[in-house]
Every structure is written in C-alpha cells, then in structure tokens.
mmCIF file of all heavy atoms in Angstrom:
data_model
loop_
_atom_site.group_PDB
_atom_site.id
_atom_site.type_symbol
_atom_site.label_atom_id
_atom_site.label_comp_id
_atom_site.label_asym_id
_atom_site.label_seq_id
_atom_site.Cartn_x
_atom_site.Cartn_y
_atom_site.Cartn_z
ATOM 1 N N THR A 17 0.857 -6.023 -5.204
ATOM 2 C CA THR A 17 0.146 -5.018 -6.158
ATOM 3 C C THR A 17 -0.464 -3.934 -5.285
ATOM 4 O O THR A 17 -1.236 -4.159 -4.312
ATOM 5 C CB THR A 17 -0.981 -5.670 -6.923
ATOM 6 O OG1 THR A 17 -0.465 -6.771 -7.703
ATOM 7 C CG2 THR A 17 -1.610 -4.637 -7.865
ATOM 8 N N ILE A 18 -0.044 -2.711 -5.507
ATOM 9 C CA ILE A 18 -0.616 -1.537 -4.759
ATOM 10 C C ILE A 18 -1.722 -0.952 -5.617
ATOM 11 O O ILE A 18 -1.687 -0.936 -6.825
ATOM 12 C CB ILE A 18 0.558 -0.424 -4.517
ATOM 13 C CG1 ILE A 18 0.030 0.615 -3.509
ATOM 14 C CG2 ILE A 18 1.088 0.111 -5.799
ATOM 15 C CD1 ILE A 18 1.118 1.545 -3.028
ATOM 16 N N SER A 19 -2.723 -0.453 -4.917
ATOM 17 C CA SER A 19 -3.855 0.149 -5.565
ATOM 18 C C SER A 19 -4.466 1.130 -4.511
ATOM 19 O O SER A 19 -4.292 1.063 -3.348
ATOM 20 C CB SER A 19 -4.933 -0.844 -6.068
ATOM 21 O OG SER A 19 -5.441 -1.568 -4.885
ATOM 22 N N ARG A 20 -5.371 1.977 -5.061
ATOM 23 C CA ARG A 20 -6.039 2.912 -4.158
ATOM 24 C C ARG A 20 -7.429 3.249 -4.698
ATOM 25 O O ARG A 20 -7.665 3.094 -5.914
ATOM 26 C CB ARG A 20 -5.250 4.191 -4.071
ATOM 27 C CG ARG A 20 -5.069 5.063 -5.302
ATOM 28 C CD ARG A 20 -4.117 6.202 -5.100
ATOM 29 N NE ARG A 20 -4.657 7.148 -4.101
ATOM 30 C CZ ARG A 20 -3.972 8.138 -3.653
ATOM 31 N NH1 ARG A 20 -2.680 8.220 -3.809
ATOM 32 N NH2 ARG A 20 -4.538 9.023 -2.802
ATOM 33 N N ASP A 21 -8.386 3.546 -3.851
ATOM 34 C CA ASP A 21 -9.694 3.960 -4.161
ATOM 35 C C ASP A 21 -9.962 5.250 -3.479
ATOM 36 O O ASP A 21 -10.275 5.351 -2.276
ATOM 37 C CB ASP A 21 -10.676 2.897 -3.663
ATOM 38 C CG ASP A 21 -12.138 3.159 -4.147
ATOM 39 O OD1 ASP A 21 -12.469 4.328 -4.469
ATOM 40 O OD2 ASP A 21 -12.894 2.222 -4.168
ATOM 41 N N ASN A 22 -9.805 6.386 -4.235
ATOM 42 C CA ASN A 22 -9.973 7.677 -3.630
ATOM 43 C C ASN A 22 -11.352 7.947 -3.228
ATOM 44 O O ASN A 22 -11.578 8.691 -2.207
ATOM 45 C CB ASN A 22 -9.547 8.821 -4.672
ATOM 46 C CG ASN A 22 -7.969 8.806 -4.902
ATOM 47 O OD1 ASN A 22 -7.224 8.183 -4.092
ATOM 48 N ND2 ASN A 22 -7.626 9.417 -5.942
ATOM 49 N N ALA A 23 -12.378 7.351 -3.709
ATOM 50 C CA ALA A 23 -13.783 7.538 -3.270
ATOM 51 C C ALA A 23 -13.969 6.947 -1.902
ATOM 52 O O ALA A 23 -14.829 7.394 -1.168
ATOM 53 C CB ALA A 23 -14.733 6.928 -4.324
ATOM 54 N N LYS A 24 -13.169 5.902 -1.618
ATOM 55 C CA LYS A 24 -13.306 5.267 -0.271
ATOM 56 C C LYS A 24 -12.250 5.582 0.633
ATOM 57 O O LYS A 24 -12.134 5.058 1.695
ATOM 58 C CB LYS A 24 -13.435 3.768 -0.503
ATOM 59 C CG LYS A 24 -14.601 3.264 -1.273
ATOM 60 C CD LYS A 24 -14.631 1.756 -1.369
ATOM 61 C CE LYS A 24 -15.884 1.379 -2.191
ATOM 62 N NZ LYS A 24 -15.929 -0.132 -2.406
ATOM 63 N N ASN A 25 -11.343 6.537 0.240
ATOM 64 C CA ASN A 25 -10.159 6.931 1.054
ATOM 65 C C ASN A 25 -9.320 5.742 1.611
ATOM 66 O O ASN A 25 -8.915 5.616 2.708
ATOM 67 C CB ASN A 25 -10.619 7.685 2.345
ATOM 68 C CG ASN A 25 -11.197 9.087 2.085
ATOM 69 O OD1 ASN A 25 -11.307 9.456 0.851
ATOM 70 N ND2 ASN A 25 -11.441 9.828 3.083
ATOM 71 N N THR A 26 -9.077 4.836 0.596
ATOM 72 C CA THR A 26 -8.464 3.483 0.919
ATOM 73 C C THR A 26 -7.322 3.251 -0.035
ATOM 74 O O THR A 26 -7.371 3.487 -1.183
ATOM 75 C CB THR A 26 -9.515 2.332 0.838
ATOM 76 O OG1 THR A 26 -10.546 2.659 1.737
ATOM 77 C CG2 THR A 26 -8.847 1.085 1.272
ATOM 78 N N LEU A 27 -6.239 2.827 0.643
ATOM 79 C CA LEU A 27 -5.065 2.237 -0.041
ATOM 80 C C LEU A 27 -4.958 0.833 0.224
ATOM 81 O O LEU A 27 -5.185 0.407 1.340
ATOM 82 C CB LEU A 27 -3.744 3.023 0.486
ATOM 83 C CG LEU A 27 -2.475 2.492 0.015
ATOM 84 C CD1 LEU A 27 -2.204 2.972 -1.393
ATOM 85 C CD2 LEU A 27 -1.352 2.939 0.939
ATOM 86 N N ASN A 28 -4.604 0.004 -0.705
ATOM 87 C CA ASN A 28 -4.591 -1.386 -0.644
ATOM 88 C C ASN A 28 -3.147 -1.925 -1.036
ATOM 89 O O ASN A 28 -2.433 -1.335 -1.878
ATOM 90 C CB ASN A 28 -5.603 -2.169 -1.536
ATOM 91 C CG ASN A 28 -7.077 -1.725 -1.127
ATOM 92 O OD1 ASN A 28 -7.458 -1.814 0.025
ATOM 93 N ND2 ASN A 28 -7.757 -1.135 -2.057
ATOM 94 N N LEU A 29 -2.796 -3.074 -0.489
ATOM 95 C CA LEU A 29 -1.576 -3.818 -0.937
ATOM 96 C C LEU A 29 -1.988 -5.289 -1.018
ATOM 97 O O LEU A 29 -2.233 -5.896 0.010
ATOM 98 C CB LEU A 29 -0.488 -3.542 -0.040
ATOM 99 C CG LEU A 29 0.891 -4.161 -0.517
ATOM 100 C CD1 LEU A 29 1.440 -3.419 -1.716
ATOM 101 C CD2 LEU A 29 1.897 -4.066 0.571
ATOM 102 N N GLN A 30 -2.045 -5.870 -2.254
ATOM 103 C CA GLN A 30 -2.298 -7.251 -2.378
ATOM 104 C C GLN A 30 -0.995 -8.051 -2.349
ATOM 105 O O GLN A 30 -0.055 -7.691 -3.155
ATOM 106 C CB GLN A 30 -2.942 -7.472 -3.673
ATOM 107 C CG GLN A 30 -3.218 -8.961 -4.026
ATOM 108 C CD GLN A 30 -4.293 -9.615 -3.185
ATOM 109 O OE1 GLN A 30 -5.187 -9.004 -2.705
ATOM 110 N NE2 GLN A 30 -4.052 -10.883 -2.798
ATOM 111 N N LEU A 31 -0.780 -8.973 -1.417
ATOM 112 C CA LEU A 31 0.475 -9.626 -1.324
ATOM 113 C C LEU A 31 0.169 -11.115 -1.651
ATOM 114 O O LEU A 31 -0.453 -11.796 -1.079
ATOM 115 C CB LEU A 31 0.905 -9.667 0.167
ATOM 116 C CG LEU A 31 1.347 -8.407 0.820
ATOM 117 C CD1 LEU A 31 0.292 -7.365 0.975
ATOM 118 C CD2 LEU A 31 1.983 -8.606 2.177
ATOM 119 N N ASP A 32 0.839 -11.575 -2.879
ATOM 120 C CA ASP A 32 0.723 -12.836 -3.303
ATOM 121 C C ASP A 32 2.045 -13.597 -3.230
ATOM 122 O O ASP A 32 3.048 -12.932 -3.155
ATOM 123 C CB ASP A 32 0.207 -12.832 -4.787
ATOM 124 C CG ASP A 32 -1.183 -12.330 -4.880
ATOM 125 O OD1 ASP A 32 -2.104 -12.523 -4.045
ATOM 126 O OD2 ASP A 32 -1.487 -11.542 -5.861
ATOM 127 N N SER A 33 2.076 -14.938 -3.300
ATOM 128 C CA SER A 33 3.218 -15.697 -3.269
ATOM 129 C C SER A 33 4.132 -15.293 -2.178
ATOM 130 O O SER A 33 5.403 -15.095 -2.359
ATOM 131 C CB SER A 33 3.956 -15.608 -4.673
ATOM 132 O OG SER A 33 3.147 -16.006 -5.752
ATOM 133 N N LEU A 34 3.503 -15.248 -0.976
ATOM 134 C CA LEU A 34 4.324 -14.690 0.157
ATOM 135 C C LEU A 34 5.447 -15.646 0.503
ATOM 136 O O LEU A 34 5.349 -16.863 0.433
ATOM 137 C CB LEU A 34 3.425 -14.532 1.373
ATOM 138 C CG LEU A 34 2.632 -13.272 1.318
ATOM 139 C CD1 LEU A 34 1.402 -13.269 2.226
ATOM 140 C CD2 LEU A 34 3.502 -12.040 1.635
ATOM 141 N N LYS A 35 6.591 -15.070 0.952
ATOM 142 C CA LYS A 35 7.734 -15.763 1.351
ATOM 143 C C LYS A 35 8.008 -15.422 2.848
ATOM 144 O O LYS A 35 7.715 -14.449 3.361
ATOM 145 C CB LYS A 35 9.001 -15.388 0.499
ATOM 146 C CG LYS A 35 8.712 -15.508 -0.932
ATOM 147 C CD LYS A 35 9.947 -14.869 -1.684
ATOM 148 C CE LYS A 35 9.742 -15.047 -3.233
ATOM 149 N NZ LYS A 35 10.913 -14.481 -4.043
ATOM 150 N N PRO A 36 8.854 -16.312 3.554
ATOM 151 C CA PRO A 36 9.200 -16.031 4.956
ATOM 152 C C PRO A 36 9.875 -14.723 5.072
ATOM 153 O O PRO A 36 9.679 -14.007 6.025
ATOM 154 C CB PRO A 36 10.080 -17.183 5.341
ATOM 155 C CG PRO A 36 9.573 -18.353 4.415
ATOM 156 C CD PRO A 36 9.247 -17.676 3.114
ATOM 157 N N GLU A 37 10.585 -14.302 4.122
ATOM 158 C CA GLU A 37 11.392 -13.036 4.194
ATOM 159 C C GLU A 37 10.447 -11.815 4.054
ATOM 160 O O GLU A 37 10.905 -10.618 4.213
ATOM 161 C CB GLU A 37 12.527 -12.960 3.151
ATOM 162 C CG GLU A 37 12.083 -13.285 1.785
ATOM 163 C CD GLU A 37 12.324 -14.797 1.371
ATOM 164 O OE1 GLU A 37 12.121 -15.673 2.193
ATOM 165 O OE2 GLU A 37 12.819 -14.958 0.224
ATOM 166 N N ASP A 38 9.221 -12.062 3.729
ATOM 167 C CA ASP A 38 8.176 -10.912 3.701
ATOM 168 C C ASP A 38 7.720 -10.619 5.132
ATOM 169 O O ASP A 38 6.896 -9.647 5.344
ATOM 170 C CB ASP A 38 7.005 -11.300 2.859
ATOM 171 C CG ASP A 38 7.454 -11.441 1.319
ATOM 172 O OD1 ASP A 38 8.218 -10.576 0.890
ATOM 173 O OD2 ASP A 38 6.978 -12.337 0.691
ATOM 174 N N THR A 39 8.031 -11.449 6.114
ATOM 175 C CA THR A 39 7.641 -11.265 7.527
ATOM 176 C C THR A 39 8.084 -9.797 7.928
ATOM 177 O O THR A 39 9.334 -9.559 7.970
ATOM 178 C CB THR A 39 8.146 -12.372 8.424
ATOM 179 O OG1 THR A 39 7.600 -13.620 8.051
ATOM 180 C CG2 THR A 39 7.859 -11.992 9.903
ATOM 181 N N ALA A 40 7.093 -9.028 8.373
ATOM 182 C CA ALA A 40 7.395 -7.663 8.794
ATOM 183 C C ALA A 40 6.182 -6.967 9.295
ATOM 184 O O ALA A 40 5.072 -7.438 9.108
ATOM 185 C CB ALA A 40 8.017 -6.913 7.662
ATOM 186 N N VAL A 41 6.424 -5.812 9.992
ATOM 187 C CA VAL A 41 5.340 -4.963 10.161
ATOM 188 C C VAL A 41 5.174 -3.931 9.004
ATOM 189 O O VAL A 41 6.149 -3.377 8.610
ATOM 190 C CB VAL A 41 5.541 -4.114 11.494
ATOM 191 C CG1 VAL A 41 4.417 -3.101 11.690
ATOM 192 C CG2 VAL A 41 5.673 -5.102 12.696
ATOM 193 N N TYR A 42 3.983 -3.962 8.403
ATOM 194 C CA TYR A 42 3.801 -3.126 7.240
ATOM 195 C C TYR A 42 3.082 -1.877 7.623
ATOM 196 O O TYR A 42 2.031 -1.820 8.394
ATOM 197 C CB TYR A 42 2.933 -3.964 6.241
ATOM 198 C CG TYR A 42 3.661 -5.033 5.471
ATOM 199 C CD1 TYR A 42 4.124 -6.171 6.225
ATOM 200 C CD2 TYR A 42 4.051 -4.908 4.188
ATOM 201 C CE1 TYR A 42 4.861 -7.150 5.537
ATOM 202 C CE2 TYR A 42 4.739 -5.909 3.456
ATOM 203 C CZ TYR A 42 5.239 -7.043 4.236
ATOM 204 O OH TYR A 42 5.846 -7.897 3.521
ATOM 205 N N TYR A 43 3.596 -0.702 7.045
ATOM 206 C CA TYR A 43 3.145 0.564 7.435
ATOM 207 C C TYR A 43 2.669 1.270 6.126
ATOM 208 O O TYR A 43 3.301 1.216 5.021
ATOM 209 C CB TYR A 43 4.238 1.413 8.041
ATOM 210 C CG TYR A 43 4.813 1.000 9.271
ATOM 211 C CD1 TYR A 43 5.871 0.093 9.336
ATOM 212 C CD2 TYR A 43 4.242 1.304 10.458
ATOM 213 C CE1 TYR A 43 6.409 -0.438 10.504
ATOM 214 C CE2 TYR A 43 4.771 0.879 11.753
ATOM 215 C CZ TYR A 43 5.890 0.020 11.682
ATOM 216 O OH TYR A 43 6.462 -0.491 12.872
ATOM 217 N N CYS A 44 1.553 1.964 6.198
ATOM 218 C CA CYS A 44 1.240 2.862 5.070
ATOM 219 C C CYS A 44 1.648 4.311 5.438
ATOM 220 O O CYS A 44 1.787 4.654 6.598
ATOM 221 C CB CYS A 44 -0.329 2.740 4.755
ATOM 222 S SG CYS A 44 -1.365 3.516 5.960
ATOM 223 N N ALA A 45 1.861 5.160 4.461
ATOM 224 C CA ALA A 45 2.391 6.506 4.612
ATOM 225 C C ALA A 45 1.710 7.427 3.613
ATOM 226 O O ALA A 45 1.418 6.920 2.419
ATOM 227 C CB ALA A 45 3.851 6.472 4.468
ATOM 228 N N ALA A 46 1.659 8.616 3.957
ATOM 229 C CA ALA A 46 1.048 9.635 3.112
ATOM 230 C C ALA A 46 1.752 10.950 3.047
ATOM 231 O O ALA A 46 2.339 11.300 4.094
ATOM 232 C CB ALA A 46 -0.403 9.874 3.504
ATOM 233 N N ARG A 47 1.778 11.625 2.020
ATOM 234 C CA ARG A 47 2.269 12.947 1.948
ATOM 235 C C ARG A 47 1.479 13.742 0.833
ATOM 236 O O ARG A 47 1.061 13.164 -0.184
ATOM 237 C CB ARG A 47 3.694 12.999 1.606
ATOM 238 C CG ARG A 47 4.171 12.432 0.252
ATOM 239 C CD ARG A 47 5.423 13.030 -0.222
ATOM 240 N NE ARG A 47 5.327 14.483 -0.511
ATOM 241 C CZ ARG A 47 6.442 15.225 -0.623
ATOM 242 N NH1 ARG A 47 7.547 14.743 -0.327
ATOM 243 N NH2 ARG A 47 6.177 16.532 -0.936
ATOM 244 N N THR A 48 1.341 14.990 1.100
ATOM 245 C CA THR A 48 0.735 15.827 0.168
ATOM 246 C C THR A 48 1.571 15.873 -1.163
ATOM 247 O O THR A 48 2.763 16.008 -1.141
ATOM 248 C CB THR A 48 0.564 17.261 0.704
ATOM 249 O OG1 THR A 48 -0.219 17.223 1.895
ATOM 250 C CG2 THR A 48 -0.204 18.148 -0.412
ATOM 251 N N ALA A 49 0.825 15.742 -2.330
ATOM 252 C CA ALA A 49 1.548 15.804 -3.607
ATOM 253 C C ALA A 49 0.757 16.841 -4.449
ATOM 254 O O ALA A 49 -0.399 16.658 -4.647
ATOM 255 C CB ALA A 49 1.532 14.459 -4.248
ATOM 256 N N TYR A 50 1.384 17.811 -5.033
ATOM 257 C CA TYR A 50 0.830 18.765 -5.875
ATOM 258 C C TYR A 50 0.714 18.490 -7.273
ATOM 259 O O TYR A 50 0.049 19.102 -8.096
ATOM 260 C CB TYR A 50 1.520 20.151 -5.586
ATOM 261 C CG TYR A 50 1.421 20.585 -4.154
ATOM 262 C CD1 TYR A 50 2.363 20.480 -3.271
ATOM 263 C CD2 TYR A 50 0.140 21.105 -3.639
ATOM 264 C CE1 TYR A 50 2.311 20.819 -1.872
ATOM 265 C CE2 TYR A 50 0.022 21.583 -2.357
ATOM 266 C CZ TYR A 50 1.063 21.376 -1.446
ATOM 267 O OH TYR A 50 0.949 21.742 -0.186
ATOM 268 N N SER A 51 1.386 17.333 -7.620
ATOM 269 C CA SER A 51 1.314 16.763 -8.947
ATOM 270 C C SER A 51 0.543 15.394 -8.891
ATOM 271 O O SER A 51 0.715 14.689 -7.877
ATOM 272 C CB SER A 51 2.715 16.580 -9.555
ATOM 273 O OG SER A 51 2.663 15.797 -10.755
ATOM 274 N N THR A 52 -0.264 15.185 -9.892
ATOM 275 C CA THR A 52 -0.946 13.824 -9.898
ATOM 276 C C THR A 52 0.020 12.728 -10.469
ATOM 277 O O THR A 52 -0.307 11.562 -10.481
ATOM 278 C CB THR A 52 -2.196 13.916 -10.780
ATOM 279 O OG1 THR A 52 -1.775 14.271 -12.080
ATOM 280 C CG2 THR A 52 -3.200 14.852 -10.160
#
C-alpha cells in the first residue's frame, strides 16, 4: 500500500505478506506534476 502525507513531506510504502521474491533495494522517486 502506497500513501503520502504532504504535511510531513513523506511517502510511505506498507509491505505486507512479504515473499522471498520481494527481496530488493527499494527506491523512492519524484517528479514535478502539474496535474493533481
């Protein structure tokens, strides 16, 4: 589940029911968006 809190400048990712194939380096990314 992805979520964000703009008041705290924070992006979250809740990972449940994890599997061995989820093993990885996880990166967050940002880009300017002119549409909401």
Side-chain angles (χ1 to χ4, degrees):
T17 304
I18 189 172
S19 63
R20 65 189 294 166
D21 185 338
N22 288 345
K24 297 181 179 179
N25 287 10
T26 301
L27 174 73
N28 300 302
L29 185 67
Q30 178 69 35
L31 292 68
D32 296 322
S33 303
L34 281 161
K35 304 175 181 180
E37 51 263 43
D38 295 319
T39 294
V41 178
Y42 284 71
Y43 299 90
C44 70
R47 64 156 289 160
T48 300
Y50 297 100
S51 169
T52 60

